[in-house]
Amino acid sequence: MTSAPPDTPTPRRTAPERRRRGDVFAAVALVVLLGVAALVVWRTSPEVATVSTPDSTPLAAPSPPGDVPTGFVESWRAPSAATRTPVVAGPAVVTGDGGTVEGHDAATGAVAWSYHRDLALCTVGAGFPGTDDGDGHALALYAGRTGWCSELTALHPSSGKRAEASNPDMRLGVQLVADGSYVTATGANYMEVWRSDLVRTLEYGDVPTPVQPGKQPRPECTYGSTAVSSDRIGVIERCPDAPADRLTVLTPDGSKGADTPEAQFSVELPAAGAVLVALSGDRAAVAVPGPPRLIVYDKAGLQLSQAPLDVPDSALATSPAGAPASVTTDGSRAYWWAGGTTIALDLGTLTPAWTLRDTLGPPTAYGTGLLAPVRDGLADLDPARGAVLRTLPVPRADPAAEVRIAAAGEVLLEQRGTEVVALLPAR
């Protein structure tokens, strides 16, 4: 048996040339892929699609109103297809159109700040009055790349600077309803509630991606109107095969977790086609047809009173699915606009106080008075009786179209279709 000489080195195994070239090619390909991925992330990130133009000089508050003037004159107007009613946030009048949200000086209409994204606006709102030195936040909700309303940004209303942001799961047609410490995003079969840092505290209904299925009591139901108070959220539910609607009142704080709704009560109503008109700390007022009547429930869901309503059944079918009824308040009464008729409710009892026909929208408090849009302009009302004291002429292109009004100091704002029009007291 022959052995190798002791000084003969052991042969070293080397990688074939083609393998070394393959490793190089793989490494280059990986770098290219990472670069492409980084570019895609950068190109689709919110920052690259956003143009924020805040104001370095915060907006000043508008002059306060006094008595109702002898007349109004138009000061300015701006497109605002993303709002249903004028939005006032702190000192700013906020409009939304296309992908742009703007904060206007109330008196002049000058654009103090703007926020733009290359996405479609779902809606614009205001909320959280206790934040940002009492001004609250303006809220811009955009449709994401998937078509859902999933890009939410809070803006400081005096400057337009960005505050918090979040990604909700709302469908198109969403509206934002604010009261106290929460904002509720409504929908035809799903709603969310957010606190001031935009953290979700409640989800209710047909949850898009439930973490634990089975936590929603009636995910198959659709919704009628919605109403909120500082610590309660109410909704009319319409469930398959149920002969009548259901009123459910929820707690918004999410103490059991956002995905675990906590109902204060849920009761079946005496008819279908109901409207939740108003919600207070201890009562809920629901209008039902056949014949039209207003039923008031206590905080446990027990009926307290019932009163006839001088409106046709068709007047109860004027709100979009899941949206709030057309209601305003002046601190003493709630004013419900039911398709051409305004009904005033006492805020303590939620029972009807008076009815006024031939209005184009709900009234709003203005200084010491109460103004309602009518065909010829603005009706100056006696808040106690609903009597028309006088009518202030305001020309409009369509005198019979719906009008939603709000006040920003002495400036009266009208939402006319997809446009906001600002009126100043005639001097």
Side-chain angles (χ1 to χ4, degrees):
M1 184 172 181
T2 304
S3 61
D7 57 345
T8 302
T10 303
R12 185 174 59 184
R13 181 175 298 173
T14 58
E17 180 70 20
R18 61 183 179 84
R19 179 175 297 179
R20 286 187 304 219
R21 289 180 178 175
D23 291 343
V24 171
F25 292 152
V28 170
L30 180 59
V31 170
V32 171
L33 286 173
L34 290 174
V36 171
L39 179 62
V40 169
V41 170
W42 180 79
R43 290 287 298 171
T44 58
S45 69
E47 297 301 325
V48 78
T50 300
V51 179
S52 179
T53 311
D55 189 0
S56 58
T57 304
L59 270 172
S63 300
D67 295 333
V68 175
T70 57
F72 286 95
V73 294
E74 182 175 328
S75 175
W76 57 273
R77 59 177 61 199
S80 189
T83 59
R84 292 184 66 243
T85 190
V87 174
V88 180
V93 177
V94 183
T95 59
D97 200 75
T100 302
V101 180
E102 295 178 330
H104 300 261
D105 180 280
T108 66
V111 177
W113 55 261
S114 66
Y115 179 79
H116 175 83
R117 298 190 65 176
D118 64 347
L119 300 171
L121 269 168
C122 292
T123 190
V124 174
F128 314 120
T131 59
D132 199 14
D133 295 328
D135 288 341
H137 284 155
L139 301 171
L141 181 58
Y142 289 86
R145 306 293 179 185
T146 61
W148 289 63
C149 298
S150 58
E151 303 285 338
L152 176 66
T153 301
L155 303 166
H156 296 286
S158 61
S159 64
K161 294 179 180 178
R162 283 176 286 184
E164 289 77 21
S166 68
N167 298 103
D169 290 313
M170 302 309 301
R171 283 78 160 175
L172 295 176
V174 58
Q175 294 187 39
L176 305 182
V177 190
D179 195 289
S181 302
Y182 301 96
V183 167
T184 300
T186 70
N189 59 357
Y190 173 71
M191 68 171 66
E192 287 189 11
V193 180
W194 313 314
R195 66 190 189 203
S196 60
D197 57 3
L198 302 190
V199 170
R200 182 191 296 125
T201 63
L202 175 68
E203 53 185 7
Y204 188 72
D206 185 15
V207 179
T209 53
V211 177
Q212 297 184 44
K215 289 202 169 187
Q216 297 294 322
R218 288 172 292 277
E220 74 283 358
C221 300
T222 59
Y223 298 152
S225 58
T226 304
V228 302
S229 67
S230 58
D231 61 350
R232 305 206 300 164
I233 297 169
V235 62
I236 299 296
E237 296 187 77
R238 293 168 179 156
C239 303
D241 302 324
D245 292 346
R246 171 177 293 273
L247 168 64
T248 300
V249 176
L250 303 158
T251 299
D253 62 10
S255 57
K256 294 185 176 180
D259 62 344
T260 306
E262 183 179 359
Q264 296 183 8
F265 70 84
S266 185
V267 296
E268 189 173 283
L269 299 171
V275 176
L276 177 55
V277 176
L279 193 67
S280 67
D282 58 359
R283 301 187 182 211
V286 179
V288 297
R293 56 205 187 276
L294 190 75
I295 304 174
V296 178
Y297 295 89
D298 69 10
K299 66 185 311 178
L302 300 176
Q303 182 175 324
L304 292 175
S305 64
Q306 179 172 290
L309 293 172
D310 188 15
V311 295
D313 280 349
S314 59
L316 306 188
T318 57
S319 295
S326 297
V327 176
T328 57
T329 181
D330 60 4
S332 298
R333 287 186 169 85
Y335 303 99
W336 172 39
W337 185 69
T341 300
T342 294
I343 301 170
L345 308 180
D346 179 271
L347 277 186
T349 62
L350 296 189
T351 54
W354 49 260
T355 298
L356 178 65
R357 295 187 178 278
D358 300 323
T359 53
L360 302 179
T364 194
Y366 183 92
T368 58
L370 183 70
L371 296 175
V374 293
R375 285 186 62 96
D376 296 327
L378 293 163
D380 181 10
L381 305 180
D382 175 359
R385 300 178 295 114
V388 178
L389 305 176
R390 55 181 171 156
T391 299
L392 311 180
V394 175
R396 304 184 185 105
D398 185 352
E402 293 183 20
V403 180
R404 306 299 172 89
I405 63 176
E410 67 173 354
V411 182
L412 188 78
L413 304 161
E414 293 193 346
Q415 178 95 37
R416 304 177 189 172
T418 60
E419 195 171 45
V420 169
V421 179
L423 308 173
L424 282 173
R427 305 299 184 187

